[in-house]
Amino acid sequence: MPEVFLEANHISKSFVGVQALQDVSLKIEKGEVACLVGENGSGKSTFIKIICGVYAPDQGEIIINGKTYRHLRPIDSIREGIQVIFQDFSLFPNLTVAENIALNDQVARGRQLVNWGTIKKIAREALDQIEIDLPLDATVGEMSVANKQLIAISRAMQQNARLVVMDEPTTALTRKEVEVLYRIVRGLRERGIAILFVSHKLNEVQVLAERVVILRNGSKVVDSPAKELTQEKIVLSMTGHTIADSRYEYSTPKTGQPLLRLEKLSRKGSFRDISFDLYPGEIIGVTGLLGSGRTELALALFGSHPADQGTIKVDGQAVKINSIQDAIKHGIGYVPEDRLTEGLFLERSIGDNIVVRSLKTLLNRSGMVDAVKKHTEIQTWVNNLHIKTSDPLMAVKSLSGGNQQRVVIAKWLASLPRILILNGPTVGVDVGSKAEIHGIVKGLAQQGLGIIVISDDIPELMQVCNRILLMQRGALVESFETKNIAEAALADRLVETIGGD
Amino acid sequence: MATLRRLLARQEVIIALTIIILSIFIGLVNPSFFSIPNVFRILRSGIIVGMFAMGVLIVLISGGIDVSFPAIAVSAMYITVVFIRDTGIDSLVLSFVVAGLIGLALGLFNAFFIALFKLPTLIVTLGTLSLFRGLLLFFVGSQRIRIAEVSPVLSDLSRGNLITIDNPAGGVANLHIAFVFLVVLAVIVWLLLRYTMLGRAIYAMGGDLEAAERVGFNVRRTQFFIYGFVGLVAGITGIVYCSLSREADPFSIVGIELDVIAAVVLGGASIMGGRGTVVGTLLGVLLITLISSSLVLLGISSDWQRFVVGILIIIGTSIPVLQLRQRQRTQSAAQAV
Amino acid sequence: MANVQQRQTTTPPAGRISIGHLLQTNGTSVRLLVIVIALFVLFSLLRPDAFPTFRNIQSMAFQASEIGILAIAVAITMLTGGIDLSINSTANLTAVLSALILTYVGPSSPALAMVLAIGAALIIGPICGAFNGFLVAYVGIPPILATLGTLTLYQGIGTVITKGAAIFGIPEFQWLGNGEIAGIPFPFIAFLAIAAVVGIILSRTKYGFEVYLLGTNPVASRFSGINNRSVLMRTYILSGLLSALAGLIILGRTNAARVDFGESYVLLAIMICVLGGINPAGGLGRIFGVVLAMIALQFLSTGMNMALFTSSGANFFKEAAWGATLLIVLLVEYFSNRQRQRRISEK
């Protein structure tokens, strides 16, 4: 009979009218590895913040080690041995490895003086617990993401963790680093420490989890042993629908010039020998793990991190793309991965965000911005892309994720690009908006744009693209026509390739 | 080789090498550079900037900035001298205590705005710089006071020497007693930063303020300490200043703030917070003092002083930026393909 | 993140401007306008014989101009998220070089000397600015440090040239600092013209639009195809140009150029910008606010002088009053922000 460590009963939580969690109940047993799965916006992060006491639930109770908490405070959660490793790790980049690991302990003990010997001893012991060796005197800011994560885990160990929650821990890790992490997770389990692994990557879930809990739109939809679940079942539960059959039909024959042709494009340290053609009306998907070079390829085409070898041809003409300005000159637009920091000016108006690329067409003869033209332009795009707002003068941060993404797309469309690269176009977008954004993308291709979609969302790629390219370790390893392959087969193939990296 | 490169990546090492090379060069051109009187002279001229720099260092490490410390120093100094003049109580200890307390109080006034309202430190201290000095000049006075006329004790201090050595070239070489203040202060700040949790809290805050709160540091209390400490140091430095210059001039000191910040930054402290050491700061102060006071020995007019210091600041601030860029480049290329 | 969320959009509405909207988006300007009017009324009541007179207003206009121009120079760099500490050194360096031209060419041909002096200033100022821009945009030094270095460097160059002495101009040139047109001081006309031109550039041109976006989020502006480096270069060059114009006015007004003239101007200019609602983190604020802040501070200085006319230290009291005003404005903004956030969260 396994002992229950944490029990969350009927947890509900809403923010300003949005129901983030609805009657979610969950048990975590001592020494088990549970995976919490769900799309962005499904309520995963809210749930984590509730069990570590950052948010108070509107309803429900939390029982830890048999003790019932109606109002769990962060300090209670830490005392009970719950340690959360957030994606930003909360480390001090300017301090040493040893100090980062031992600081919590020293503060908690109310130490006034620093004994460097003790600090190193504590750190050494914590690192030994996960069987990792790191230079104790190195500055954390200079270490790789993987090492930072290991430091964060050691710090959690050092505080007698009973349950370690890892929020999307593999996002920025290489394959090898992920293996190390898996090994550590298994080691912790053997010592009776429970792990709650938060992820949306199916392969990880299958490799690690003993139990899978799936959230969708704030409700728990699945809670069962991992063995009883298939990939398809997980995808279905996460998204709430099977992979749609409506594929993108690319009918125009590939005659004449390709819009974009890459010949053995390489960038040292990022990707190598990438060659493919993009024809007008095509939507090409590029997928692969993080670190496979997919984003780097997009950034090279967009001139942000230029390629150092190979040729890029637009309309058959070899072009040099050494800066973002070069890319724009050749009609290439880029919708970035991180919408909030790279795509939008959050505090500025929706309108300003839309016209940032097209402003030069909105000037009057004396070089001033023509207010009427600007207003018309903004209205046009708000209408065309169905951006739901009462007033385009409102700050863009007031919009939902889906509408924000439409603003970023509108920004590029307003500059009349010929090639549009979308990186993670529906990350953090609700299900309804997702379908509409897919519709917009398909519509653009039908008007003759060439589109590249970078994503790790397989159903999305299957629905939107006519062709999917698989990248692995910086190289293009396979290419599929979506109409020639069944969803499941592709999914298996991708998982197999990625998983067996 | 790797160790050498790591050493050269440290701003302190670069500054120290610059000082050594520069000293050898100046010494070759003018052998009197290495004479004891000259060394003592350079050390003496670095006292005031060095003492201020200790306070500024702590603020910069914590991720803030303080431009009001000269106004605090001049207020504490002038009020104390007026106090001595009006009461006739002439005690060395008392004058340091009074000046220190005034400085502490004014520093805590800064902390009040910064810690309780989380207002930007540059803007707050810009405001208090004006406020403190304006109030001083309006309410306390705007006349110079000659120290010799009001305080024999402070006047004695101004002639006090720590070391007196017979100069082979004739006369004696004196190292001013106030140098002790700089040394003691530097040791205190070094111990504070390295061996107390308070010091580590200051580094932690500069590294990541939010994470520092999450670890459990009391950020507000630490900020009260930081700005209070800067005030205290400024107050005491004010008294040392008037003793060295032998007069209390309410128009003096203010204007030195940017020079002090420049010296601290040159010594490797980051304006973004989280980085900086006592040794580096002392080296930064020494380099600037060395250049300021040695151009003449090179036969260069002292008119070139600001020019050279300006170039020095630009080069000194470029180095870490360029190093960082280089490191990022090599890092991204090293990632597995 | 929390800091970011406190900011509000400031884009003036295209076409339809309601008072409500104006109050909402330009709280700072409205607040400043109220302060300006209140100060005027207050001092007029305290000294009806001296404050609200033509002579006094004229003299205030003379005093406010040069520091006002320098404040605008700082404001544009602040809007990009930077700062320019070298404004005063640039102004003095250009004034010194212009004064040298006047001294050497002036005796033989005053007209030619003036043309050359002004021409030189219009070249030297932007060169100084371009060097700042290079250090910030291309080398990547934080603006506060880069311009701290050039502050010292430009002052150093001036010292080497003048050996620290004052260089005198020629009488003909004084019109630039002391002349008037229809009773309005020429420096003040220059200040208003500069404020208007810079204001229009910022609010109506593509460059101005890009300045605000760069200041709001430099990463997003890069990914939107804005050439950040070019925008920064242009901003610091413009800042250098404005500093040079201030330098010419200083030269005209005092008929002398000194490398250490007006050392308190730098911090004063920053103070005026912050009072005027320019966010030091970038992306927020308007030149109109800077003009109002300048006027408010001038009323405060002169008014204090007059209200305390019995005291010889009135001049010093204004310094304290400026500092106090800045702190009070910071507190008022803090509490009004908090209230607004509370309102939002209550919704």
Side-chain angles (χ1 to χ4, degrees):
Chain A
M1 187 62 200
E3 275 182 276
V4 174
F5 172 72
L6 177 138
E7 197 176 336
N9 290 328
H10 309 290
I11 303 285
S12 293
K13 174 79 183 169
S14 65
F15 297 100
V16 220
V18 180
Q19 192 76 29
L21 283 178
Q22 199 167 9
D23 196 28
V24 172
S25 297
L26 179 67
K27 280 180 193 163
I28 297 172
E29 289 161 9
K30 288 183 178 165
E32 83 166 330
V33 180
C35 270
L36 184 63
V37 186
E39 296 194 295
N40 283 295
S42 59
K44 287 176 303 187
S45 16
T46 309
F47 185 78
I48 301 174
K49 285 186 175 158
I50 284 177
I51 63 172
C52 70
V54 173
Y55 291 159
D58 298 337
Q59 274 162 30
E61 57 176 16
I62 292 165
I63 304 169
I64 307 172
N65 275 326
K67 193 170 170 202
T68 307
Y69 289 93
R70 302 242 38 177
H71 298 285
L72 183 76
R73 295 170 303 161
I75 189 78
D76 301 323
S77 164
I78 291 169
R79 285 208 187 108
E80 293 286 4
I82 297 176
Q83 286 287 327
V84 183
I85 297 166
F86 287 107
Q87 277 178 294
D88 67 354
F89 305 138
S90 258
L91 295 172
F92 300 101
N94 57 326
L95 302 183
T96 63
V97 172
E99 219 180 341
N100 264 289
I101 295 173
L103 206 54
N104 288 51
D105 170 78
Q106 298 289 295
V107 174
R109 284 172 200 270
R111 288 278 146 78
Q112 298 297 325
L113 297 179
V114 181
N115 183 335
W116 290 95
T118 313
I119 283 183
K120 281 195 184 169
K121 197 167 135 266
I122 291 172
R124 172 66 61 212
E125 283 168 7
L127 285 170
D128 285 347
Q129 282 194 50
I130 59 168
E131 293 167 30
I132 291 292
D133 191 29
L134 288 176
L136 292 178
D137 288 327
T139 311
V140 165
E142 287 165 12
M143 310 205 89
S144 68
V145 178
N147 282 342
K148 283 182 188 158
Q149 188 174 53
L150 296 175
I151 294 164
I153 296 174
S154 319
R155 185 174 61 181
M157 288 305 93
Q158 192 276 318
Q159 291 173 280
N160 294 320
R162 309 293 320 281
L163 166 65
V164 178
V165 182
M166 297 186 186
D167 188 9
E168 305 272 358
T170 58
T171 304
L173 301 191
T174 65
R175 192 69 223 165
K176 236 166 128 185
E177 292 164 343
V178 170
E179 286 302 332
V180 174
L181 181 68
Y182 287 174
R183 205 194 75 219
I184 290 171
V185 167
R186 293 192 186 104
L188 295 181
R189 182 184 55 192
E190 275 161 31
R191 296 174 36 206
I193 297 170
I195 310 283
L196 183 62
F197 203 84
V198 181
S199 178
H200 66 264
K201 288 193 194 143
L202 304 183
N203 55 318
E204 284 174 16
V205 173
Q206 297 214 314
V207 169
L208 268 186
E210 295 167 320
R211 198 153 60 86
V212 177
V213 177
I214 302 178
L215 294 182
R216 188 173 76 229
N217 294 336
S219 301
K220 188 169 83 170
V221 288
V222 168
D223 186 344
S224 66
K227 278 178 238 135
E228 295 170 14
L229 290 171
T230 59
Q231 292 273 354
E232 290 73 21
K233 177 87 196 307
I234 296 176
V235 170
L236 174 62
S237 308
M238 274 168 71
T239 58
H241 52 82
T242 43
I243 297 166
D245 286 329
S246 63
R247 305 264 175 86
Y248 175 62
E249 290 294 329
Y250 172 68
S251 44
T252 325
K254 291 181 184 179
T255 52
Q257 292 282 3
L259 201 49
L260 176 75
R261 161 169 276 183
L262 307 189
E263 289 170 2
K264 292 195 168 285
L265 202 67
S266 304
R267 178 178 157 89
K268 203 175 160 220
S270 300
F271 55 83
R272 61 188 135 73
D273 292 341
I274 306 287
S275 305
F276 66 84
D277 292 345
L278 175 71
Y279 284 85
E282 261 202 303
I283 305 177
I284 294 184
V286 177
T287 190
L289 276 175
L290 265 153
S292 63
R294 51 175 215 209
T295 292
E296 290 79 355
L297 175 65
L299 291 177
L301 293 178
F302 187 54
S304 169
H305 296 60
D308 44 27
Q309 268 176 30
T311 321
I312 301 172
K313 285 182 178 167
V314 176
D315 289 333
Q317 297 289 315
V319 296
K320 286 258 175 295
I321 298 184
N322 288 327
S323 68
I324 292 176
Q325 281 69 35
D326 287 347
I328 288 170
K329 199 171 68 192
H330 297 297
I332 299 174
Y334 176 66
V335 175
E337 201 171 11
D338 185 346
R339 185 163 54 237
L340 298 182
T341 63
E342 296 172 346
L344 291 169
F345 304 92
L346 286 174
E347 306 81 26
R348 302 207 68 88
S349 70
I350 297 162
D352 281 1
N353 272 279
I354 291 175
V355 299
V356 51
R357 284 284 345 117
S358 52
L359 204 70
K360 62 176 177 294
T361 65
L362 306 176
L363 305 177
N364 61 24
R365 252 175 293 163
S366 48
M368 300 287 157
V369 176
D370 187 316
V372 178
K373 277 193 203 167
K374 183 178 164 192
H375 185 69
T376 318
E377 173 87 357
I378 293 167
Q379 275 308 328
T380 309
W381 289 108
V382 167
N383 295 339
N384 281 358
L385 296 190
H386 306 293
I387 296 167
K388 290 186 198 74
T389 173
S390 55
D391 183 358
L393 298 175
M394 303 241 292
V396 77
K397 71 179 176 200
S398 66
L399 295 176
S400 69
N403 279 304
Q404 286 181 348
Q405 187 68 315
R406 284 173 222 218
V407 171
V408 183
I409 295 175
K411 166 174 81 182
W412 283 105
L413 295 185
S415 71
L416 308 175
R418 304 186 52 224
I419 299 163
L420 191 60
I421 305 166
L422 298 108
N423 197 347
T426 57
V427 170
V429 166
D430 58 286
V431 181
S433 275
K434 197 167 171 176
E436 282 189 45
I437 287 174
H438 290 165
I440 292 170
V441 170
K442 289 179 192 175
L444 291 172
Q446 272 151 6
Q447 289 165 31
L449 263 72
I451 294 180
I452 298 174
V453 175
I454 292 161
S455 176
D456 54 6
D457 182 341
I458 294 162
E460 168 168 278
L461 293 174
M462 287 299 293
Q463 276 176 51
V464 177
C465 307
N466 59 292
R467 195 145 59 98
I468 298 175
L469 309 176
L470 176 61
M471 284 185 76
Q472 192 181 9
R473 296 183 199 165
L476 228 170
V477 290
E478 243 178 303
S479 168
F480 310 90
E481 298 284 334
T482 47
K483 64 179 174 204
N484 296 340
I485 186 166
E487 307 90 13
L490 175 64
D492 286 349
R493 177 74 192 99
L494 292 184
V495 169
E496 185 184 310
T497 315
I498 294 167
D501 198 330
Chain B
M1 192 60 201
T3 339
L4 184 71
R5 200 174 299 143
R6 194 149 359 109
L7 269 178
L8 280 176
R10 294 184 65 99
Q11 184 101 345
E12 290 99 323
V13 179
I14 298 176
I15 297 291
L17 285 177
T18 313
I19 291 173
I20 293 168
I21 294 167
L22 198 66
S23 302
I24 293 172
F25 179 70
I26 300 171
L28 287 178
V29 175
N30 191 332
S32 74
F33 174 79
F34 285 117
S35 68
I36 288 172
N38 186 52
V39 171
F40 283 0
R41 190 176 59 87
I42 291 170
L43 291 181
R44 178 190 157 125
S45 51
I47 292 173
I48 296 299
V49 174
M51 288 180 72
F52 280 134
M54 288 300 120
V56 169
L57 171 68
I58 289 184
V59 182
L60 285 193
I61 291 174
S62 77
I65 195 164
D66 187 344
V67 292
S68 73
F69 64 87
I72 296 181
V74 77
S75 300
M77 173 261 272
Y78 196 70
I79 294 170
T80 306
V81 171
V82 167
F83 169 82
I84 295 171
R85 182 190 67 189
D86 294 353
T87 59
I89 304 171
D90 188 21
S91 146
L92 194 63
V93 175
L94 190 68
S95 56
F96 273 91
V97 169
V98 170
L101 286 178
I102 294 169
L104 179 66
L106 297 181
L108 291 176
F109 185 79
N110 281 334
F112 170 76
F113 285 93
I114 291 163
L116 295 190
F117 303 108
K118 296 194 186 320
L119 296 174
T121 54
L122 173 66
I123 309 300
V124 167
T125 55
L126 207 55
T128 55
L129 169 67
S130 268
L131 181 66
F132 295 156
R133 196 172 86 135
L135 291 177
L136 175 77
L137 293 171
F138 183 70
F139 285 112
V140 188
S142 52
Q143 302 297 314
R144 280 184 203 190
I145 300 172
R146 292 195 46 206
I147 296 299
E149 287 168 10
V150 297
S151 169
V153 174
L154 283 178
S155 195
D156 284 346
L157 179 69
S158 72
R159 283 189 296 271
N161 287 315
L162 181 65
I163 306 168
T164 302
I165 294 172
D166 286 324
N167 187 1
V172 287
N174 296 318
L175 180 57
H176 197 273
I177 186 113
F179 191 69
V180 177
F181 292 105
L182 175 60
V183 173
V184 170
L185 181 61
V187 170
I188 290 174
V189 172
W190 182 75
L191 288 172
L192 172 83
L193 287 176
R194 178 118 188 107
Y195 290 106
T196 70
M197 285 304 277
L198 188 60
R200 303 323 289 173
I202 294 171
Y203 276 101
M205 279 167 58
D208 188 333
L209 193 65
E210 218 172 285
E213 275 175 338
R214 239 181 272 174
V215 164
F217 284 124
N218 188 333
V219 167
R220 271 188 194 180
R221 206 168 59 196
T222 313
Q223 276 175 328
F224 268 100
F225 170 82
I226 293 165
Y227 293 93
F229 183 81
V230 174
L232 178 70
V233 169
I236 291 170
T237 312
I239 283 293
V240 175
Y241 179 87
C242 79
S243 154
L244 284 175
S245 62
R246 294 172 193 192
E247 63 174 15
D249 178 358
F251 290 96
S252 61
I253 308 182
V254 171
I256 203 177
E257 56 274 3
L258 296 179
D259 288 346
V260 175
I261 293 170
V264 178
V265 169
L266 205 57
S270 164
I271 200 108
M272 314 295 187
R275 277 195 300 118
T277 60
V278 170
V279 174
T281 302
L282 291 176
L283 289 171
V285 173
L286 179 59
L287 179 56
I288 285 191
T289 315
L290 189 68
I291 288 178
S292 307
S293 55
S294 303
L295 285 178
V296 181
L297 295 183
L298 288 174
I300 299 170
S301 152
S302 62
D303 293 335
W304 285 86
Q305 183 190 319
R306 300 291 288 167
F307 179 84
V308 177
V309 171
I311 298 274
L312 201 65
I313 296 172
I314 292 168
I315 295 174
T317 50
S318 311
I319 291 171
V321 178
L322 297 175
Q323 276 177 340
L324 183 71
R325 203 181 296 170
Q326 181 66 37
R327 207 180 307 141
Q328 280 167 347
R329 201 170 298 156
T330 47
Q331 239 167 31
S332 73
Q335 261 163 22
V337 174
Chain C
M1 202 59 196
N3 189 18
V4 161
Q5 279 170 354
Q6 280 169 15
R7 296 203 219 150
Q8 291 246 313
T9 171
T10 51
T11 323
R16 50 207 173 84
I17 301 173
S18 69
I19 298 294
H21 218 121
L22 201 68
L23 285 175
Q24 226 176 32
T25 54
N26 293 313
T28 318
S29 299
V30 174
R31 215 175 298 149
L32 278 166
L33 207 57
V34 171
I35 293 176
V36 166
I37 295 167
L39 286 173
F40 188 82
V41 172
L42 174 73
F43 291 120
S44 297
L45 290 176
L46 284 174
R47 292 296 307 275
D49 55 318
F51 193 80
T53 62
F54 178 73
R55 250 187 99 80
N56 180 45
I57 292 172
Q58 200 186 30
S59 118
M60 286 195 290
F62 267 114
Q63 293 170 41
S65 305
E66 58 202 41
I67 180 72
I69 296 170
L70 290 175
I72 293 173
V74 174
I76 54 170
T77 57
M78 269 195 184
L79 285 175
T80 65
I83 199 164
D84 188 349
L85 300 179
S86 74
I87 43 162
N88 196 44
S89 296
T90 306
N92 287 333
L93 180 59
T94 46
V96 159
L97 293 167
S98 297
L100 282 174
I101 293 174
L102 293 176
T103 317
Y104 285 105
V105 187
S108 53
S109 166
L112 178 66
M114 284 177 65
V115 171
L116 287 179
I118 293 173
L122 296 184
I123 294 169
I124 297 155
I127 289 177
C128 291
F131 186 57
N132 288 334
F134 168 76
L135 293 177
V136 171
Y138 289 90
V139 184
I141 308 176
I144 190 170
L145 295 181
T147 56
L148 175 60
T150 56
L151 171 159
T152 317
L153 177 67
Y154 300 157
Q155 200 184 31
I157 296 173
T159 314
V160 171
I161 294 170
T162 62
K163 302 198 186 342
I167 310 286
F168 294 96
I170 55 173
E172 288 86 346
F173 202 75
Q174 281 180 275
W175 188 84
L176 222 54
N178 298 323
E180 46 190 75
I181 299 171
I184 308 170
F186 176 76
F188 195 67
I189 295 175
F191 166 56
L192 288 185
I194 287 170
V197 169
V198 175
I200 289 171
I201 288 176
L202 287 176
S203 61
R204 296 289 305 279
T205 68
K206 180 163 166 284
Y207 159 75
F209 187 76
E210 291 177 344
V211 164
Y212 280 101
L213 293 186
L214 171 65
T216 308
N217 181 347
V219 180
S221 81
R222 197 174 94 84
F223 273 101
S224 300
I226 292 175
N227 192 334
N228 284 2
R229 283 179 169 170
S230 150
V231 174
L232 287 174
M233 276 307 276
R234 280 184 278 172
T235 303
Y236 284 91
I237 290 173
L238 181 57
S239 173
L241 175 68
L242 296 179
S243 306
L245 295 177
L248 287 177
I249 288 175
I250 293 170
L251 174 60
R253 187 172 66 80
T254 63
N255 196 30
R258 271 189 4 240
V259 286
D260 54 355
F261 180 82
E263 280 183 323
S264 62
Y265 277 12
V266 181
L267 298 184
L268 196 54
I270 298 172
M271 196 190 279
I272 291 167
C273 289
V274 175
L275 277 176
I278 306 281
N279 186 333
L284 197 67
R286 307 192 324 160
I287 297 300
F288 185 54
V290 178
V291 173
L292 287 178
M294 182 65 249
I295 295 173
L297 276 189
Q298 190 59 53
F299 281 179
L300 200 61
S301 315
T302 309
M304 285 288 177
N305 259 336
M306 290 180 168
L308 305 163
F309 64 108
T310 45
S311 159
S312 61
N315 224 344
F316 307 130
F317 192 75
K318 77 177 184 203
E319 200 178 322
W322 285 345
T325 311
L326 181 69
L327 294 173
I328 290 165
V329 167
L330 285 177
L331 284 185
V332 169
E333 295 216 332
Y334 171 81
F335 284 111
S336 75
N337 265 340
R338 212 170 62 159
Q339 214 169 9
R340 192 164 56 222
Q341 286 199 326
R342 200 172 294 161
R343 265 208 310 275
I344 291 168
S345 65
E346 270 167 15
K347 275 185 206 165

